[in-house]
Amino acid sequence: FSLEELHGIFPWLVESIFGSLDGIIVGWNLRCLQGRTNPNEYSVALDFLDPSGPMMKLVYKLQAEEYRYDFPVSYLPGPVKASIQEQVLPECSLYHNKVQFPSAGGLGLNLALNPFEYYMFYFAISLITQKNSPVTHHVSPSNSAYFILVDTYLKCFLPTEGSVLPPPSSNPGGAIPSPTPRSPAVPFSSYGMHHTSLLKRHIAHQPSVNADPASQEIWRSETLLQIFVEMWLHHYSLEMYQKMQSPHVKLEVLHYRLSISSKHHGSPAQSSCQALHAYQESFKPTEEHVLVVRLLVKHLHAFSNSLKPEPLSPSAHSHTASPLEEFKRVVIPRFVQEKLYIFLQHCFGHWPLDASFRAVLEMWLSYLQPWRYAPEKPPQSTEPLPRSVSEKWAAFIQENLLMYTKLFVGFLNRALRTDLVSPKNALMVFRVAKVFAQPNLAEMILKGEQLFLEPELVIPHRQHRLFMSPTLGGSFLSSRSPAVTDASFKVKSHVYSLEGQDFQYKQMFGTEVRNLVLKLAQLICQAQQTAKSISDHSAETMASQSFFSWFRFTPSEVNGSYTGNDLDEIGQDSIKKTDEYLEKALEYFCQIFKLSEAQLTQMMMKCGTAQDENGKKQLPDCIASENGLILTPLGRYQIINGLRRFELQYQGDTELQPIRSYENAALVRLLFRLSSALNERFADQMEVLCSRDDFVGRLCRYHLTNPQLVQKIRYSPVVRDRTSHNWGPRISLRFLASYRTLISLLMIYFLASWFYVGPVGCTFIILIGYFLYAVIMTFFFEGWKPHEH
């Protein structure tokens, strides 16, 4: 094919591979392509799309000719699309000098992208657009072809060892030129501070472009990272993003919007409302999306940690630092930190309260622990002691303070609303507590908070204190004081750039957050007791099972209550694991926030796990009112988690209560009609017999329901008084509809047949035996009513 033919089919080929932007064309469906299910297609796709494969060779071939391809602005992330449509240029240099207005008859704005950018735009955005791909089998996101390709591209263009491999070139000894800046097609106002591209800044200091080949190739690394960050993380309202900007930038944008609205003869208020509506984006990241972002975070930590140690001589540093080394130094704070923070905030606030939040949690914890991806590995030891966090990470913690503190508070608020009895939720609490309990980490976070809260007036006093130290010399003093000032300034600039100048910081080790931790610790104690009660209940149920358990009934069945949760379906092993997670998490929180034994004891007493004198659990936590007892929030928690419950009993007519699972429905209805007919026919006679004071009257009162003897029933806590109903003496044959009664009678008839006793004789023996039993019981207890179980 000629270059013109390749140029013509390139957009079609990219769309055929990654799918269309509207999601109608699925393409190769790389997100569902796995080697286990489709080994041939999987290997072919990876080989074809490899950084050194045929597709990238085509990209570099077209790149050499400086072709441009249109990418619709309407498919960009919401805030970027809306700002460009309002002629407000985003801060990312990726969009600079690329916006093209449509020609006569054209529709919409477009970005003029070079082949490499066009290919990577489609590759990155396919993770967002192809959400409803048909899936016929279970897909593991970390084993998909898309996930493997992301990892491959990151390792190739952001290498932790060596330099970026040069692209294959069709010109002998030549190189693919970096994109040349073009004049903008329309004047734009910017809603963010412009970060100069590392490539442009480095080339400006070079005597010749060809003098340093690495300067020609770092644009691929920077472009790849910018595209990934923009497509995967830049999804939130512009209003929230502007909160991170300086006041004068906000003022410029406001003036620009007012001028635009006046040009279009629109009301400023109406324009503002329309702009706010335009910037709102319904963004619901998937679990796969979060896993890919976590892969990006982990690789960026490894990429940044592979930075070579700075030389002692400043002159040597200026001569030996390469563009790639400069890129490693600023890659996280400049390109990732702000957007990842907002992305995590969005996930913490909108993700469902279920176990799928584990993906977001692990991504957050991966970002908080850059030392896990440092090249030096700790020595393997047999003792499982946690490794102390080195002081060299203090700068990273201080410059990412909100990632540690505000998001920790966000996690606490989530944990307080989840069911900690669930093993998966307990594991998430354990993971966070374990990470923050690493030795020296809490101290460094506290130091960062002190630097943020430290007023500038304290600095001279600090200088005086250092000056009085006999171990410090003058040269060290002169460099030490500005270092403290710079550290405080960096922390404050980090916080205010992300949250704005009017942000009210909530201290992680302050009273308010400490109270949240105490509430969480109390819920952990309650969850432990709930898991224990569920475990005991399950053990009792297993022990009481018998051959006839399928037709017998228990008080829990009569009352219609249920005290279990998902642990009943998991097993005793998971219950033990849940208890271990919660116990360890509580221990870690005590280490982090220095909780005392007295506080733990007090929390255990507040859990409401004490038992009364009869060995039964007390009622849920309530408060007395005019209408009786009212549940408190703690009482609702106890009922939801099965820790306590009310003893509910049926209080209506026993003949009209719902048919139970251990009863035969047809027999219940038939026996009810028979009992009703007998009661209606012999009502007067039964009333006369029950009113007698001799032995016959006592025997009749034993067999018939006696309205004069009212059982003491524990009513609902809301209603104190009930109107008692006088149903009169009556016959109840409903007990004959119970499967247990029927099976018992069949067994008696079966055993009687072994002794050659017929059905009639066996029935007569049963009636005689029951009559003798009733006579004996009449002498001792008159109030007991038969047939009521």
Side-chain angles (χ1 to χ4, degrees), residues 278-336:
Y279 282 112
Q280 298 301 319
E281 182 184 21
S282 177
F283 178 51
K284 299 178 181 179
T286 62
E287 188 173 353
E288 180 187 10
H289 183 179
V290 173
L291 291 175
V292 173
V293 173
R294 186 192 179 204
L295 175 65
L296 173 65
V297 168
K298 292 167 64 176
H299 185 83
L300 289 180
H301 274 319
F303 176 70
S304 179
N305 291 335
S306 65
L307 178 66
K308 297 178 182 178
E310 295 185 3
L312 299 178
S313 173
S315 59
H317 171 71
S318 61
H319 290 293
T320 58
S322 65
L324 188 62
E325 295 298 308
E326 290 186 19
F327 190 43
K328 292 179 181 180
R329 185 175 292 106
V330 300
V331 61
I332 290 180
R334 177 174 297 181
F335 294 95
V336 180

Side-chain angles (χ1 to χ4, degrees), residues 18 45 174 205 250 293 370 395 450 521 559 649-650 654 658 705 711 721:
F18 301 121
H205 294 283
K250 289 193 238 182
V293 173
Q450 292 173 349
N559 296 331
Q649 296 183 7
Y650 184 79
T654 55
T705 302
Q711 288 187 331
D721 300 327

Side-chain angles (χ1 to χ4, degrees), residues 22-23 40 80 84 92 129 138 184 253 266 375 436 519 589 612 626:
D22 55 11
N40 295 330
V80 178
I84 292 179
C92 181
T129 57
H138 175 71
V253 176
F436 278 85
K519 289 182 180 179
F589 281 127
D612 56 17
E626 297 179 355

Side-chain angles (χ1 to χ4, degrees), residues 405-464:
T405 58
K406 186 174 181 180
L407 293 183
F408 178 79
V409 176
F411 173 77
L412 288 180
N413 291 325
R414 286 185 60 92
L416 291 172
R417 292 177 290 160
T418 56
D419 179 15
L420 299 183
V421 184
S422 171
K424 296 179 180 179
N425 292 336
L427 176 59
M428 287 191 285
V429 175
F430 164 75
R431 289 282 298 122
V432 173
K434 182 180 180 181
V435 168
F436 278 85
Q438 295 179 82
N440 202 34
L441 178 58
E443 288 76 7
M444 286 193 285
I445 296 176
L446 180 60
K447 177 65 179 302
E449 289 190 325
Q450 292 173 349
L451 288 174
F452 172 74
L453 299 173
E454 185 177 51
E456 287 74 6
L457 297 177
V458 179
I459 299 301
H461 175 67
R462 182 183 297 273
Q463 289 180 354
H464 176 72

Side-chain angles (χ1 to χ4, degrees), residues 423-602:
K424 296 179 180 179
N425 292 336
L427 176 59
M428 287 191 285
V429 175
F430 164 75
R431 289 282 298 122
V432 173
K434 182 180 180 181
V435 168
F436 278 85
Q438 295 179 82
N440 202 34
L441 178 58
E443 288 76 7
M444 286 193 285
I445 296 176
L446 180 60
K447 177 65 179 302
E449 289 190 325
Q450 292 173 349
L451 288 174
F452 172 74
L453 299 173
E454 185 177 51
E456 287 74 6
L457 297 177
V458 179
I459 299 301
H461 175 67
R462 182 183 297 273
Q463 289 180 354
H464 176 72
R465 185 169 65 249
L466 289 173
F467 180 78
M468 295 298 294
S469 176
T471 59
L472 299 178
S475 60
F476 180 76
L477 172 64
S478 61
S479 62
R480 175 63 176 174
S481 176
V484 176
T485 308
D486 292 343
S488 177
F489 174 77
K490 288 181 179 179
V491 175
K492 293 179 180 179
S493 62
H494 154 71
V495 173
Y496 291 138
S497 64
L498 294 181
E499 292 291 345
Q501 297 289 336
D502 55 348
F503 174 62
Q504 299 295 326
Y505 183 75
K506 186 183 298 184
Q507 298 183 53
M508 177 175 168
F509 297 96
T511 305
E512 186 175 352
V513 178
R514 187 181 181 87
N515 291 334
L516 290 178
V517 174
L518 290 175
K519 289 182 180 179
L520 179 60
Q522 184 175 351
L523 290 184
I524 289 175
C525 296
Q526 293 175 348
Q528 286 180 299
Q529 295 296 333
T530 303
K532 183 178 182 301
S533 64
I534 293 174
S535 177
D536 296 341
H537 179 268
S538 301
E540 293 174 1
T541 303
M542 294 291 293
S544 60
Q545 285 182 349
S546 63
F547 178 75
F548 300 104
S549 60
W550 62 274
F551 60 84
R552 69 182 176 89
F553 59 92
T554 61
S556 62
E557 291 173 330
V558 175
N559 296 331
S561 62
Y562 175 64
T563 59
N565 58 8
D566 60 342
L567 290 175
D568 291 335
E569 302 177 358
I570 296 175
Q572 295 293 323
D573 293 339
S574 294
I575 295 178
K576 294 179 181 178
K577 187 65 70 174
T578 300
D579 187 66
E580 292 176 5
Y581 288 149
L582 295 177
E583 184 177 357
K584 276 291 184 182
L586 190 59
E587 178 183 341
Y588 287 139
F589 281 127
C590 292
Q591 294 177 8
I592 299 170
F593 293 92
K594 305 296 188 295
L595 301 180
S596 62
E597 291 288 341
Q599 290 174 314
L600 289 180
T601 305
Q602 185 179 7

